[in-house]
DNA sequence: AATTTTAACAAAACCGGTTTAACGATAGAA
DNA sequence: TTCTATCGTTAAACCGGTTTTGTTAAAATT
């Protein structure tokens, strides 16, 4: 491998001079610059990224940190990443995707600082160890999603208005006449789960005119497949509580599970059962009959905002705390309908 | 920031000893190991990734290289990346996504080696500069897609059988009675474009029984949006050649453009126009009425194979050339139908 | 003309790790 | 008892860049 020393020797100048030619941080005469670049080209020399990072204490790499075992990117994550990548592209940053399991990272021989200038942290949890760790090591971070109250004023984050949005869709379902809900929620420790739960419960309470009843089930960490979770839970719950006439699902994958369960039970959507999902456009759409009603989370915008804030934070020394809310829109297709009084809920 | 020297001083041992404790590359007594780890914990020390990479000449990072300006990941890329990430996860590699524009990379102050141990190169072109560059610098690479003949025996790659697959779907359409095609193909310089074109033409020729006619249009580099390209091209072509009864689209996005054009022209799919797409499950599915017939490329499997081959290549010194073909499956939904002899093609 | 400033570069120290060579202590072999 | 291995450790060299400091010649100032 060609090093800076080789180029220096070939050109008859010092290492420092070659360095300056490439980094452009110090003026070098036109004549020498030419000769150095010439020699570099001839030797096929390119500065070593890591040596440079070590000396510069900067990598110009952003990290995208996603927790969870055997993780798979969803459509939501894809859009989000597209947003992040666009900002990276504009600002000359590379993106490092880190999905390594904690069991791996905790082994002594793998312990190390992260090779990034800052990190975007996805799906924060109530007691998220990642946050404390980055705060300790003074690694700039931006969360996508709300942190726990303890960190509310210590880290920047980008989020949807989960409480308000869930309230809105709950009212929509209430106005359609639904009173008995199954809420397929995100894993319990995720902050998004409690926000949505809060929005849901508040709307139910405020609506007040009649008693509503509901079953909120959190996806357990032990289950990897949202589809299976949606299917199993819907199946079991509808059998136990046939009065349920509407399902709110955390993701389109879960909703798909609910669809399959309904089919298995011989229940018609939306005539007998309304299904709603927190989701961007679905990957599974060919499988959805009827088309799924849901809410657009604008994942790409979340990614754009997060990356922009992070890069902004890297530029200036002063660490300001930034909170950005990205708006959402309800997308009404045809999986939700008025509760059918006749047969309403009495599937069996 | 705490360095190895701080820990060494605190523990009263040498830097080398601390290094050995963390790298586990040399035996250190249990007693000293304990003391070092204790001090490291107290000082919140973690080995510096860059320094380590520099000394080790290895980063344990794989690169994912995607060309194109203002690039956006498609569903295909998402699935592929999920495959790659799974292998990374299993082998302790991080993934660096590089979509930086060449104009940025070419500026003197940004020239540098890539911070990866090896790279997965997407969407290779006939005369792909990336390949020569990596070969020169001896960076291990695996392509997803076929390289040009010149590199056929010099680089490993993973690909679908584009020629055979396109032949198959062309025969499918021919047997449905279609004779006049519009082929919305990938950009001309991409090798995948010529493979699919070859498969298409060969099938047409072999079928032989009647004359077929077709219009093959390559997506120009100047257009970013596949949707716009599909729309505009379909619109213009169908107006010019109303005898066309089937469209083969390079991606679901292009197919969506074709759908919109058909709608605009008042042409029914599939009664008057069949549409076929090289595509995984679509993101746009809610927009597809009727559901799109296409071919599953198994992008995730492509990713898994590519990453596996690359990591295998990193392990051993001997550089064997590996070629892997990932099978495809036709997914018949309802956007293709028998050519309607009555009105066949005569839209106007 | 003498002095200060500036430009352009060289030499050496440095970034934070790893690795090699050398060494003392202990253990086993001759 | 002496010789040789082995183990655990240290000191110094090294990875490939950047940066600080120092030097010299030319330009600018007084």
């Amino acid at each position: 491998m060609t090093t800076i020393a080789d180029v220096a020797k070939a050109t008859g100048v010092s290492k420092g001079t070659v360095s300056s030619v490439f980094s452009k941080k110090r003026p070098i005469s036109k004549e020498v610059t030419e000769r150095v670049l010439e020699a570099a080209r001839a030797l096929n020399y390119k500065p070593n990224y890591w040596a440079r990072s070590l000396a510069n204490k900067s990598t110009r790499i952003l990290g995208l940190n996603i927790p969870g075992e055997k993780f798979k990117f969803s459509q939501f994550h894809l859009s989000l990443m597209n947003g992040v990548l666009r900002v990276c592209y504009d600002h000359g940053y590379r993106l490092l995707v880190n999905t390594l399991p904690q069991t791996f990272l905790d082994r002594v021989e793998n312990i190390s600082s992260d090779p990034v200038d800052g990190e975007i942290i996805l799906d924060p949890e109530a007691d998220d160890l990642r946050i404390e760790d980055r705060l300790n090591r003074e690694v700039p971070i931006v969360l996508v999603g709300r942190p726990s109250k303890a960190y509310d004023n210590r880290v920047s984050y980008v989020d949807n208005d989960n409480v308000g949005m869930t309230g809105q869709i709950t009212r929509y379902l209430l106005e359609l006449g639904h009173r008995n809900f199954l809420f397929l929620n995100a894993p319990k420790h995720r902050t998004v789960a409690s926000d949505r739960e809060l929005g849901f419960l508040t709307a139910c309470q405020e609506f007040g005119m009649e008693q509503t009843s509901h079953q909120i089930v959190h996806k357990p960490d032990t289950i990897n497949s949202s589809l299976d979770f949606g299917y199993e839970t819907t199946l079991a719950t509808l059998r136990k509580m046939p009065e349920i006439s509407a399902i709110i699902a955390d993701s389109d994958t879960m909703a798909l599970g609910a669809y399959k369960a309904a089919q298995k039970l011989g229940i018609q959507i939306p005539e007998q059962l309304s299904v709603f999902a927190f989701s961007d456009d679905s990957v599974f759409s060919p499988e959805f009959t009827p088309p799924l009603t849901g809410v657009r989370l604008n994942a790409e915008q979340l990614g754009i905002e997060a990356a922009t804030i992070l890069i902004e934070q890297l530029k200036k020394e002063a660490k300001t705390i930034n909170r950005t809310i990205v708006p959402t829109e309800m997308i009404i297709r045809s999986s939700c309908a008025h509760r059918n009084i006749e047969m309403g809920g009495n599937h069996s």
Side-chain angles (χ1 to χ4, degrees), chain A:
Chain A
M1 183 203 265
T2 340
T3 75
I4 201 171
D6 299 327
V7 178
K9 198 177 299 174
T11 325
V13 299
S14 74
K15 292 198 320 177
T17 302
V18 178
S19 173
S20 302
V21 167
F22 278 95
S23 70
K24 286 197 173 172
K25 289 187 183 165
R26 212 183 341 275
I28 298 294
S29 70
K30 207 162 186 67
E31 188 258 341
V32 172
T33 300
E34 295 266 309
R35 269 171 46 216
V36 167
L37 288 178
E38 178 86 16
R41 206 178 343 265
L43 295 169
N44 194 25
Y45 166 77
K46 294 191 174 184
N48 180 300
Y49 202 101
W50 296 104
R52 207 174 231 192
S53 297
L54 176 59
N56 281 335
K57 292 168 177 300
S58 155
T59 61
R60 295 198 73 81
I61 294 178
L62 298 189
L64 189 65
N65 189 289
I66 313 165
E69 301 295 302
K70 291 283 178 193
F71 184 86
K72 265 199 177 188
F73 273 104
S74 69
Q75 188 56 36
F76 175 85
H77 292 100
L78 172 69
S79 300
L80 188 137
M81 197 165 59
N82 271 331
V84 171
L85 278 175
R86 193 169 114 204
V87 179
C88 286
Y89 182 100
D90 289 338
H91 290 80
Y93 277 85
R94 290 169 164 88
L95 184 69
L96 186 73
V97 180
N98 187 349
T99 55
L100 259 22
Q102 202 57 42
T103 51
F104 174 89
L105 295 172
D106 282 345
R107 282 210 290 280
V108 174
E109 64 270 36
N110 297 324
I111 292 178
S112 75
S113 65
D114 274 310
V116 298
D117 290 347
E119 255 184 320
I120 295 172
I121 295 198
L122 262 46
D123 302 335
E125 307 188 345
D127 221 13
D128 207 310
L129 297 171
R130 295 175 295 172
I131 302 176
E132 188 64 38
D133 177 66
R134 308 304 190 276
L135 248 30
N136 264 339
R137 300 214 317 283
E138 296 184 22
V139 176
I141 54 173
V142 172
L143 309 192
V144 176
R146 181 181 65 75
S148 67
K149 302 292 177 206
Y151 295 109
D152 201 52
N153 289 313
R154 300 177 59 196
V155 296
S156 292
Y157 66 90
V158 174
D159 202 2
N160 296 123
D161 176 14
N162 279 301
V163 179
M165 165 188 96
T166 313
Q168 185 193 344
I169 70 104
T170 305
R171 279 191 294 278
Y172 167 72
L173 290 170
L174 285 165
E175 280 158 13
L176 284 175
H178 299 282
R179 293 297 177 272
N180 304 295
F181 301 95
L182 167 58
F183 190 166
L184 298 171
N185 206 348
K188 195 168 191 66
H189 41 272
R190 297 258 308 273
T191 56
V192 68
S194 44
D195 282 4
R196 290 179 181 171
E197 187 161 334
L198 176 63
F200 172 73
L201 293 175
T202 307
C204 283
Q205 207 165 33
E206 282 172 8
F207 202 76
M209 55 178 255
E210 284 174 59
Q211 193 67 18
T212 67
S213 89
H214 46 259
Q215 177 85 342
I216 301 180
V217 185
H218 293 272
K219 181 182 169 199
D221 298 307
T222 48
I223 294 185
N224 260 317
S225 160
S226 289
L227 190 114
D228 290 348
F229 168 68
Y231 178 75
E232 304 288 352
T233 311
T234 304
L235 210 58
T237 312
L238 286 191
R239 277 183 175 145
K240 201 172 56 187
M241 308 171 63
E243 68 274 19
I244 287 174
S245 66
I247 295 183
I248 300 172
D250 176 68
S251 68
D252 44 23
T253 327
M254 280 187 197
L256 184 58
Y259 267 56
K260 302 226 170 205
Q263 190 176 23
K264 168 94 173 180
L265 291 169
I267 296 175
Q268 295 294 319
I269 299 172
E271 292 80 4
Q272 295 167 273
L273 182 67
S274 289
V275 178
F276 186 98
F278 297 108
S279 160
D280 264 38
D281 301 281
S282 168
V283 191
F284 298 101
S285 301
E287 330 252 353
F288 280 112
T289 333
L292 186 62
T293 288
V295 59
R296 183 166 293 152
L297 305 174
N298 292 313
E300 182 163 355
Q301 196 58 35
L302 284 169
I304 290 176
E305 297 289 345
T308 305
I309 292 173
L310 184 53
I311 289 178
E312 205 54 46
Q313 215 154 100
L314 294 178
K315 271 190 210 154
K316 55 187 177 189
E317 264 314 298
K319 276 160 209 150
T320 57
I321 302 302
N322 194 313
R323 211 168 305 169
T324 302
I325 300 299
V326 172
T328 55
E329 318 144 46
M330 274 190 64
I331 305 295
I332 296 183
R333 297 206 182 86
S334 38
S335 65
C336 294
H338 255 96
R339 172 158 171 260
N340 185 326
I341 313 291
E342 301 300 318
M343 49 202 322
N346 274 323
H347 5 272
S348 61

